[in-house]
Structure formats: C-alpha cells, structure tokens
Amino acid sequence: MQVVERAANRCEYCGLSQEGQEAVFHVDHIQPVSLDGPTELENLALACVSCSLRKSARVSAADPDTGGMVPLFHPRRDLWNLHFRWNASELIGITPGPEHFTQF
C-alpha cells in the first residue's frame, strides 16, 4: 500500500516502527473526513494506534499553557524535528500544543 511505503512502515506522527508491534497501524485522514478531508494519498498518514486514538478526528486542540487553540502536527506540511524530540522513550513536544498528544 502506498501509505505504508511512503511512511517507511513508521508512524508519521511519532516515528514508531510498525515492525514488532502487536496492533496493526491505522491509515489516518490528516484532515478528518468529518471536516471534509478527502480520501486521497496526500491526506492519508500511517499512524500507530496511540497517535491515531489521541488525534481522533481533530486538526487542533487546546494548548495546556495558554488555553488557546493550536493546530495539531500535520505530517505533510510540518517538519517533525521542529515540533518534537525524543527523551529516551518519551516523545516531547517542543512547540505549543496539547500535552496529552505527546506523552507515550
């Protein structure tokens, strides 16, 4: 499948490899269908179960520090290294955003 190949078999949100995982990764609509997101390759991302469930059908969420709405990471437009970093097995968000999306 093109989505899996493009993602190199890794979650496009956190980078987790699908190899060795018990659960099959989801094909996520970056722009959810409920918000008129198309089912086209450019709008699809491979997502581990944790990222898929945390993101749900959202494109933004409340920042825990300011309470303001901020966009969620978009794997086609945003550069991962500008938004996240790994600290051992913990994924840390380094830009404004909802804490519960970045804790694994």
Side-chain angles (χ1 to χ4, degrees):
M1 173 178 230
Q2 290 178 312
V3 174
V4 176
E5 290 174 11
R6 178 186 57 207
N9 212 27
R10 293 186 166 276
C11 175
E12 294 187 70
Y13 296 103
C14 73
L16 180 69
S17 175
Q18 185 167 228
E19 290 187 31
Q21 302 299 315
E22 290 184 27
V24 175
F25 284 12
H26 300 176
V27 174
D28 175 62
H29 283 81
I30 300 166
Q31 175 78 22
V33 173
S34 62
L35 298 175
D36 298 323
T39 303
E40 298 173 350
L41 184 60
E42 187 64 18
N43 190 46
L44 301 176
L46 190 63
C48 70
V49 174
S50 294
C51 286
S52 179
L53 293 175
R54 284 179 174 90
K55 178 184 172 282
S56 190
R58 294 180 274 208
V59 294
S60 63
D63 182 304
D65 296 326
T66 67
M69 294 301 284
V70 294
L72 297 179
F73 176 75
H74 190 296
R76 298 288 160 269
R77 293 191 304 235
D78 300 329
L79 296 175
W80 194 92
N81 290 339
L82 296 179
H83 294 276
F84 305 102
R85 69 176 169 79
W86 281 104
N87 182 13
S89 63
E90 182 179 22
L91 183 62
I92 306 295
I94 56 176
T95 53
E99 289 178 291
H100 64 277
F101 286 102
T102 58
Q103 301 299 313
F104 292 90

